Amino acid sequence: MSSEASHASPAGVNPDILWRVVGGEALLLDTISGNYFSLDPIATEIWMRLNKGDEPGQIAGAVSERYSIDAGRARGDIADLMNDLRDAGIWR
C-alpha cells in the first residue's frame, strides 16, 4: 500500500498496519484482520508527527498553537486518539 508502512514500526505502529495519506487523510489497513481505518486531517497531522517520533506533549503544543485551542484540550484529544489507536491494535 505504501512504502511509509516499512518505516512505521519503530515509532510504535503495529507492523501489520499499512498506511498512506490520500487527500489529507491517513488511510490505515490492518493486513491481518482486514480492518480499514481513516483519520481526519487533524488526526492525520497527529499520526504523522507520532510516526516521526514526536512526543504527545510536543504535538499538543503544536496543535494548540496551530488551531488556537486550549493546550489541555489538545493533550486530552491526543490521548483519546492514542487510546483509540491502541484499542484498535494500530499503535503499540
Side-chain angles (χ1 to χ4, degrees), residues 1-82:
M1 184 172 202
S2 171
S3 62
E4 294 173 63
S6 64
H7 301 292
S9 295
V13 175
N14 177 338
D16 297 324
I17 303 297
L18 297 177
W19 64 277
R20 70 170 39 176
V21 176
V22 177
E25 295 185 357
L27 306 176
L28 300 87
L29 174 67
D30 184 328
T31 60
I32 301 299
S33 70
N35 291 331
Y36 166 84
F37 306 89
S38 65
L39 303 177
D40 68 29
I42 295 174
T44 296
E45 182 178 340
I46 295 164
W47 171 260
M48 297 294 293
R49 292 188 65 138
L50 286 169
N51 277 285
K52 288 180 185 175
D54 290 355
E55 295 295 324
Q58 291 175 297
I59 299 169
V63 168
S64 172
E65 185 175 313
R66 180 173 177 153
Y67 298 101
S68 300
I69 63 170
D70 177 72
R73 177 177 174 200
R75 281 189 300 276
D77 289 349
I78 290 168
D80 289 345
L81 174 62
M82 292 182 73

